[in-house]
Amino acid sequence: MDIARSPNMEILSDLRTRALAGGGLHRIDEQHGKGKLTARERIDLLLDAGSFEEFDALKVGRTGLIDAKAAQPGDGVVTGHGTIDGREVFVFSQDFTVIGGSLGEAHSQKICKVMDLAVTAGAPIIGLNDSGGARIQEGVDALAAYGEIFHRNVQASGVVPQISCVMGPCAGGAVYSPSMTDFIFMVDSAAYMFVTGPSVVKTVIHQEITSEQLGGARVHASKSGVAHFTAANDIVCLREIRRLISYLPSNNRQKAPLLDLRDPAERDDPALDFLVPPNPNQTYDMNVLIYSILDGAEFMEVHPQFARNIICGFGRLGGQTIGLVANQPAVLAGVLDSDASFKAARFVRFCDAFNIPLICLVDVPGFMPGPDQEHGGIIRHGAKLLYAFVEATVPRITVIVRKAYGGAYLVMNSKHIHGDVIYAWPSAEIAVMGPKGAAEVIYRREIQAADDAEAFLKEKMEQYRRTFATPFLAAQRGYIDDVIYPRNTRKRLIRSLQVLEGKQARAPLRKHGNIPL
Ligand code: HXC
């Protein structure tokens, strides 16, 4: 029989047309009216033009199997694979125009299929979330459907990068799938995430609050730390996901792709010799150093609005992706607190899982003191960062720029926790504590007895600063590998990365460690 004349061709064409139409023109208009793109428009922008291969466009939910009229081909989610800059990724994009993008059994099976294939093929999985949550009409089957996704989120963790993009509602238990992935993007105004919504908040704790205030993009990017990135709209968001993918390997067996930005490895920057102010109490912006050393001055900061006293993000050195962790003296003097420790620990673990070398730029006066931090568990949270660095087997290189005091010095990828190459600038101060604290402890009695206590303390601080608050004691002991000229930082880092290219380190055999969560 001539296939082109087969009745199935017509059926296929009809089903495809219905699948492509989603919830229909009216609902698509509503979606656009909210400033949101449709599921398919989003995929088109995310992937290289014409690269999308769709799966399960014809799949319908259980109700659709029984009642053909209720059958919506695709069941509210578009799934498949395509490329970003020529590299394969798997994707699912929830279609809010179909039953509010709600998730039932078939919808979940489609997502699970691409998640399974992503792991099998060793390619990232990107989820574009825009959903009313568990499909109420499917009852416990909808909850079971979420469970299957959660299971796969954990199985895929550390195997392929998982990226979530929240572009609409994401409420109740549904939030736990994105939260178990590696990075969450949220779109300003359109996206919100919460475990219990404003109406429940009002009933239970009698507080009026909007969705935006409770779980909007800004709140999660700056306060809770749930969102790693925010974007003004869908278009910017999808472009940023493409940018993130460019820094990452496709799976945990590969290294990130090299990208030559034609920035000479030998390039020096004499201005760096003047970055650190002569007065140790004066601040400066660590971003100056970061943008100076990285290839093409390109840096993708993760969590830019959360725990700003530490900077984490991706850049390239000599074409190779690196994960950068840097104290920011311009915010809270660069002190380590609970949020900063959590933020950096999760970032370090991601880099380690995906073979991305770590560069650590240190200017840390210590851990944040006070009952708020102590009672909030800074011991637990600080331990996360310590654990994460110790556990990491990727190349680990540190530059001590200025302050490196006490436990915080050890935590920030020091030689003592087996950092591979440790450099210090001449401005480095590596000691148990800062000059004032040290002089006050050592000379407590003498200060009390002195005629001019202030002058005495000042003299002792100066003495301490000259003797201890320098890089030279640590250099004499071999705890740092070299004191380098600031202007040469870029080339020294690139050389170190080259020499550590073949680093092999093995963790002892065990089921898994027990990081202080
Ligand atoms: C079935 C749903 C749905 C859901 C929305 N719809 N959510 N259908 N199950 N969960 C349907 C609506 O009935 C409507 O259909 C269409 O989708 C569009 O929804 P609207 O309400 O018109 O849109 P909007 O005004 O933009 O409001 C969006 C919304 C709201 C805020 C998401 O729909 C809503 O509150 N939905 C329920 C959210 C919820 O409680 N979900 C369960 C969360 S708990 P019609 O045909 O009328 O246009 C959860 C548990 C997960 O998900 C557990 C995992 C372990």
Side-chain angles (χ1 to χ4, degrees):
M1 190 173 65
D2 182 355
I3 292 177
R5 288 168 202 271
S6 147
N8 283 353
M9 286 293 278
E10 255 172 62
I11 296 172
L12 175 63
S13 141
D14 173 54
L15 286 171
R16 281 218 185 285
T17 309
R18 283 174 55 204
L20 290 176
L25 272 182
H26 172 64
R27 287 183 195 269
I28 290 175
D29 283 347
E30 275 181 1
Q31 179 84 347
H32 287 160
K34 290 177 196 158
K36 303 200 291 185
L37 297 175
T38 65
R40 287 178 187 281
E41 288 166 344
R42 287 167 175 165
I43 288 179
D44 285 348
L45 283 172
L46 176 68
L47 302 179
D48 297 339
S51 70
F52 183 51
E53 296 283 337
E54 187 169 354
F55 290 151
D56 290 332
L58 310 185
K59 190 171 172 91
V60 294
R62 254 174 218 259
T63 42
L65 289 174
I66 301 159
D67 171 7
K69 269 192 276 173
Q72 170 59 48
D75 203 43
V77 64
V78 183
T79 60
H81 63 93
T83 57
I84 291 181
D85 294 328
R87 297 165 61 214
E88 292 290 349
V89 297
F90 285 81
V91 63
F92 66 87
S93 179
Q94 291 180 311
D95 186 348
F96 193 83
T97 69
V98 177
I99 330 174
S102 58
L103 186 142
E105 184 186 49
H107 182 126
S108 162
Q109 284 167 347
K110 288 183 65 173
I111 293 176
C112 290
K113 185 188 275 186
V114 284
M115 291 179 79
D116 288 342
L117 279 166
V119 171
T120 305
I125 173 91
I126 301 169
L128 308 181
N129 298 267
D130 188 359
S131 165
R135 188 169 301 158
I136 296 161
Q137 299 87 325
E138 293 200 25
V140 70
D141 283 336
L143 301 183
Y146 269 111
E148 291 297 330
I149 295 174
F150 297 165
H151 175 79
R152 282 165 178 80
N153 283 135
V154 175
Q155 299 307 314
S157 182
V159 181
V160 293
Q162 299 184 80
I163 296 170
S164 296
C165 185
V166 181
M167 310 181 98
C170 186
V175 296
Y176 288 111
S177 173
S179 69
M180 285 193 290
T181 62
D182 298 306
F183 296 105
I184 299 183
F185 288 75
M186 286 183 80
V187 178
D188 272 341
S189 314
Y192 52 83
M193 297 176 77
F194 35 67
V195 175
T196 49
S199 57
V200 179
V201 171
K202 192 173 172 196
T203 312
V204 179
I205 61 169
H206 314 291
Q207 190 182 337
E208 296 267 5
I209 190 160
T210 64
S211 295
E212 184 76 20
Q213 289 164 334
L214 187 61
R218 276 174 212 190
V219 168
H220 283 312
S222 60
K223 276 197 174 166
S224 71
V226 166
H228 301 84
F229 305 97
T230 60
N233 55 48
D234 285 10
I235 298 172
V236 177
C237 192
L238 297 162
R239 206 174 53 214
E240 286 296 287
I241 297 177
R242 288 179 62 92
R243 186 168 160 232
L244 176 61
I245 288 285
S246 78
Y247 286 104
L248 310 183
S250 295
N251 58 59
N252 65 338
R253 301 182 305 276
Q254 294 180 1
K255 290 190 172 175
L258 288 173
L259 186 66
D260 183 0
L261 296 179
R262 307 207 173 274
D263 190 351
E266 292 296 311
R267 174 174 61 77
D268 64 4
D269 183 356
L272 291 182
D273 292 349
F274 304 94
L275 177 65
V276 175
N279 177 352
N281 297 326
Q282 225 176 315
T283 187
Y284 63 94
D285 186 355
M286 186 61 90
N287 282 304
V288 175
L289 172 57
I290 293 171
Y291 283 90
S292 161
I293 58 176
L294 293 179
D295 290 2
E298 284 187 13
F299 181 53
M300 184 162 193
E301 190 172 353
V302 175
H303 266 142
Q305 293 140 43
F306 175 71
R308 290 172 47 242
N309 38 329
I310 202 154
I311 300 171
C312 299
F314 298 107
R316 295 184 184 85
L317 278 169
Q320 183 177 352
T321 295
I322 55 98
L324 189 137
V325 178
N327 308 113
Q328 170 55 293
V331 178
L332 296 174
V335 75
L336 279 181
D337 57 8
S338 296
D339 283 351
S341 304
F342 150 74
K343 165 177 163 177
R346 188 147 170 82
F347 181 74
V348 165
R349 295 195 99 217
F350 175 84
C351 291
D352 187 45
F354 289 102
N355 313 315
I356 296 174
L358 287 160
I359 305 285
C360 195
L361 306 177
V362 180
D363 188 345
V364 63
F367 284 99
M368 178 78 117
D372 281 356
Q373 286 292 316
E374 296 290 354
H375 300 172
I378 193 166
I379 296 175
R380 284 186 293 119
H381 297 299
K384 288 176 190 169
L385 183 54
L386 178 56
Y387 193 107
F389 269 125
V390 171
E391 182 188 42
T393 56
V394 287
R396 288 157 46 191
I397 305 168
T398 293
V399 180
I400 301 173
V401 175
R402 188 170 65 172
K403 296 173 188 172
Y405 284 117
Y409 151 64
L410 287 178
V411 168
M412 290 299 291
N413 198 36
S414 61
K415 196 64 141 186
H416 320 289
I417 60 167
H418 298 201
D420 295 301
V421 175
I422 315 292
Y423 292 128
W425 282 12
S427 45
E429 306 169 20
I430 308 168
V432 176
M433 60 174 80
K436 184 159 186 285
E440 281 171 350
V441 171
I442 303 170
Y443 300 106
R444 186 165 52 92
R445 283 198 188 82
E446 290 86 336
I447 292 168
Q448 277 165 0
D451 293 337
D452 185 344
E454 204 177 310
F456 181 82
L457 175 64
K458 213 168 155 197
E459 183 202 317
K460 291 299 171 196
M461 277 169 62
E462 212 31 62
Q463 213 173 49
Y464 181 91
R465 191 184 311 285
R466 278 196 306 274
T467 321
F468 292 102
T470 76
F472 301 113
L473 266 184
Q476 283 166 9
R477 307 284 296 140
Y479 297 148
I480 53 174
D481 298 303
D482 200 5
V483 182
I484 63 172
Y485 293 104
R487 65 175 66 204
N488 293 336
T489 305
R490 171 177 163 81
K491 63 180 165 196
R492 300 297 297 259
L493 287 175
I494 292 176
R495 281 293 290 123
S496 300
L497 282 169
Q498 285 165 348
V499 78
L500 291 169
E501 170 80 28
K503 176 179 176 182
Q504 284 193 325
R506 277 198 203 297
L509 268 184
R510 60 185 153 193
K511 190 171 176 193
H512 58 71
N514 190 13
I515 188 166
L517 291 172

